[in-house]
Amino acid sequence: MSVLPPVRRDRIVADLPQCFKKEACLHTRDSFHSKVTSACKQQRTGTVGFRISKVIVVGDLSVGKTCMINRFCKDVFDKNYKATIGVDFEMERFEILGVPFSLQLWDTAGQERFKCIASTYYRGAQAIIVTFDLSNISSLEHTKQWLQDALKENDPSSVLLFLVGSKKDLISPSQYALMEQDAIKVAKEMQAEYWSVSSLTGENVKEFFFRVASLTFEASVLAELEKTNARKIGEVVRINSNDRNLYQSSKKNKQKCCQ
Ligand SMILES: Nc1nc2c(ncn2[C@@H]2O[C@H](COP(=O)(O)OP(=O)(O)OP(=O)(O)O)[C@@H](O)[C@H]2O)c(=O)[nH]1
Ligand SMILES: [Mg+2]
């Protein structure tokens, strides 16, 4: 009997959610990788369905990290600023291509004095979300440093990167267009996928987190399949080397026998 409640009906993913801007996205495929789709159909996803994937959210103080997570997880918005002290986290459960998948969203503090506590939680992330405030250019300029710090604790070759501009409701469409050009440039340099959201109106928040969950899931299944293949190759090599041992030992026995 399962102790976990069923996954919410609005957390079920059947198709790959699309990226926000084709110029700055992790991949432009319309659907999940074919290996992933067939592994899910054949229930060959190993331990992915039992694991909890860690996602960390970093960025300057007051850029809206907590509000973005709260909008997605609790569908609330608080206009009063309450600094995050150290870290906080929320769990979100999804069902992707029929497989349960859990994300642990780590909300870290942007304030300098809490940074050293927060950075101790950076390790072991499958995805890093670097956030900036679309109405504050200096917060975009600081994103590279945030990423650099977060990558020190993680494997840059396997972690998925996202650059998110928040508070879209605060700027005009023409201001946004200018900001977006700069942000896309930064995202490309970082090799991150770019998104813009508003936690006040809710614009793009759900779409963004569904994309994060889906790409993290896809990467986890691909890694699991690779591990299984490596294990199979290892077994073949072991069997072959055992064969050789058998041959050698039988040869030895033979020699003994004839001596
Ligand atoms: N208009 C508008 N205000 C926002 C939005 N998101 C956050 N805010 C406001 O910005 C302030 C800071 O938001 P937080 O989410 O607490 O910022 P944070 O990045 O978590 O800050 P730290 O925890 O100190 O790192 C709050 O007053 C929010 O109400 C948004 O989308 N639109
Ligand atoms: Mg916060």
Side-chain angles (χ1 to χ4, degrees), residues 21 23-26 129-134 136-148 151 161-165 178-195:
K21 284 276 157 182
E23 305 94 290
C25 66
L26 290 175
I129 300 174
V130 188
T131 316
F132 70 98
D133 175 347
L134 285 162
N136 174 358
I137 186 80
S138 66
S139 68
L140 174 64
E141 288 160 2
H142 298 155
T143 53
K144 281 187 191 157
Q145 187 58 52
W146 282 105
L147 178 63
Q148 212 175 307
L151 282 180
L161 307 177
F162 295 87
L163 178 71
V164 183
L178 287 175
M179 197 64 164
E180 190 181 75
Q181 279 180 8
D182 290 342
I184 286 182
K185 222 171 105 201
V186 174
K188 279 182 171 172
E189 285 164 14
M190 288 178 169
Q191 298 188 300
E193 177 159 310
Y194 169 71
W195 279 78

Side-chain angles (χ1 to χ4, degrees), residues 155-166:
D155 175 5
S157 67
S158 62
V159 72
L160 302 179
L161 307 177
F162 295 87
L163 178 71
V164 183
S166 63

Side-chain angles (χ1 to χ4, degrees), residues 54 56 106 118-126 150 152-154:
K54 181 173 179 176
I56 56 171
W106 286 83
S119 61
T120 59
Y121 293 87
Y122 288 173
R123 188 163 301 171
Q126 266 87 64
K152 273 185 210 150
E153 306 292 334
N154 286 289

Side-chain angles (χ1 to χ4, degrees), residues 215-230:
L215 292 185
T216 311
F217 173 78
E218 185 177 59
S220 304
V221 176
L222 286 173
E224 185 75 16
L225 292 175
E226 226 169 85
K227 236 176 28 192
T228 316
N229 283 343

Side-chain angles (χ1 to χ4, degrees), residues 62 64-67 81-85 107-110:
S62 196
K65 300 179 292 297
T66 302
C67 284
Y81 172 50
K82 287 184 215 87
T84 303
I85 298 167
D107 178 17
T108 69

Side-chain angles (χ1 to χ4, degrees), residues 10-11 13 17 72 94 206-214:
D10 61 350
R11 294 286 187 260
V13 180
F72 179 61
F94 296 83
K206 186 176 171 196
E207 290 81 350
F208 167 62
F209 280 108
F210 267 57
R211 177 85 175 161
V212 173
S214 301

